[in-house]
Amino acid sequence: QVQLQESGPGLVKPSQTLSLTCTVSGASVTSVDYYWSWVRQLPGKGLEWIGYIYQSGSSYSNPSLNRRVMTSIDTSKNQFSLKLRSVTAADTAVYFCARERRIGGSGGYVDNWGQGTLVTVSS
Amino acid sequence: EILMTQSPATLSVSPGERATLSCRTSQSVSNNLAWYQQRPGQAPRLLIYGAFTRATGIPARFSGSGSGTEFTLTISSLQSEDFALYYCQQYTNWPPWTFGQGTKVEVK
């Protein structure tokens, strides 16, 4: 059974960097069949794709986040991580890590989600 | 960026009745469309991918149809656990993948 678990601070100060890690069990982040993604849900709102990373280290992020996103992957720990720089209150959200099915060399749909973690940006 | 429009925003249905949810995209996504269910306080759960293929473990009362720009999720006979939020998502055009704003299925 595939499980993903987010970890990281629940409170970040404005202008600082939000850092989250996702630990994967029941699957390997080195799989060629999947991308490893981050999705967030703003309070009372819908879902927003942040970006994804592949086992090779190649990554893509949502242009709406103005190049503030950095993702990384640690195959030795079977983890992947998100850093979001220069956060503001508008970045307050539930952050989900996810496993995304690779389709035709690109990403696709998410077949497994972490439970999500609330990150609040406040001084 | 492909825009996703779901309708209605809220759907009031009695248990045992049929629910029909709509998702429209601003340009063709072929059949690269997924549906997710989200219950309060939980992560989304994949229901349908490829517009009509049920994910593992999803009951047969959930079905997806459509292609191009018009898609439908049908729940044939609503069970108590089906009252939730439903999102569609396209994965034909990156960046970024985009979601609809959601349809809430509530008890009538």
Side-chain angles (χ1 to χ4, degrees):
Chain A
Q1 181 185 358
V2 179
Q3 291 188 315
L4 295 89
Q5 179 66 58
E6 304 89 352
S7 59
L11 181 64
V12 181
K13 288 182 167 46
S15 80
Q16 295 193 341
T17 297
L18 178 160
S19 297
L20 294 173
T21 295
C22 183
T23 301
V24 179
S25 58
S28 173
V29 298
T30 61
S31 171
V32 298
D33 294 326
Y34 296 97
Y35 284 88
W36 304 94
S37 304
W38 294 94
V39 179
R40 69 181 183 179
Q41 187 163 34
L42 303 177
K45 302 285 187 182
L47 300 162
E48 180 182 33
W49 218 283
I50 298 171
Y52 62 54
I53 189 163
Y54 190 52
Q55 51 92 16
S56 64
S58 63
S59 61
Y60 300 87
S61 60
N62 192 327
S64 71
L65 293 169
N66 299 320
R67 300 176 182 264
R68 297 189 291 129
V69 172
M70 187 176 76
T71 52
S72 59
I73 196 164
D74 187 335
T75 57
S76 67
K77 295 181 180 178
N78 216 36
Q79 295 176 333
F80 61 104
S81 298
L82 168 71
K83 290 188 187 300
L84 181 64
R85 299 182 292 105
S86 304
V87 297
T88 70
D91 293 309
T92 293
V94 175
Y95 286 77
F96 296 99
C97 62
R99 187 180 79 166
E100 185 176 326
R101 182 72 183 177
R102 186 167 181 251
I103 300 170
S106 181
Y109 54 87
V110 172
D111 66 359
N112 277 278
W113 299 73
Q115 66 183 25
T117 186
L118 174 63
V119 179
T120 301
V121 178
S122 175
S123 55
Chain B
E1 177 176 318
I2 294 179
L3 301 180
M4 315 284 288
T5 303
Q6 288 186 244
S7 61
T10 303
L11 184 61
S12 299
V13 187
S14 299
E17 288 189 341
R18 182 187 195 90
T20 302
L21 289 66
S22 175
C23 177
R24 178 177 295 177
T25 61
S26 60
Q27 62 189 76
S28 177
V29 298
S30 184
N31 65 342
N32 295 318
L33 187 109
W35 290 94
Y36 302 88
Q37 176 193 68
Q38 188 178 32
R39 297 176 178 138
Q42 295 187 15
R45 176 176 72 141
L46 177 67
L47 298 176
I48 300 285
Y49 62 92
F52 55 81
T53 302
R54 273 191 304 278
T56 302
I58 301 303
R61 64 180 182 272
F62 291 92
S63 62
S65 62
S67 66
T69 62
E70 301 275 351
F71 300 88
T72 300
L73 174 69
T74 302
I75 312 170
S76 60
S77 176
L78 274 161
Q79 307 298 302
S80 57
E81 62 268 27
D82 301 336
F83 293 96
L85 265 169
Y86 292 84
Y87 292 98
C88 59
Q89 174 236 329
Q90 67 81 18
Y91 51 92
T92 205
N93 189 3
W94 173 269
W97 305 143
T98 45
F99 293 90
Q101 78 280 19
T103 290
K104 180 181 180 181
V105 177
E106 65 175 23
V107 179
K108 186 175 182 179

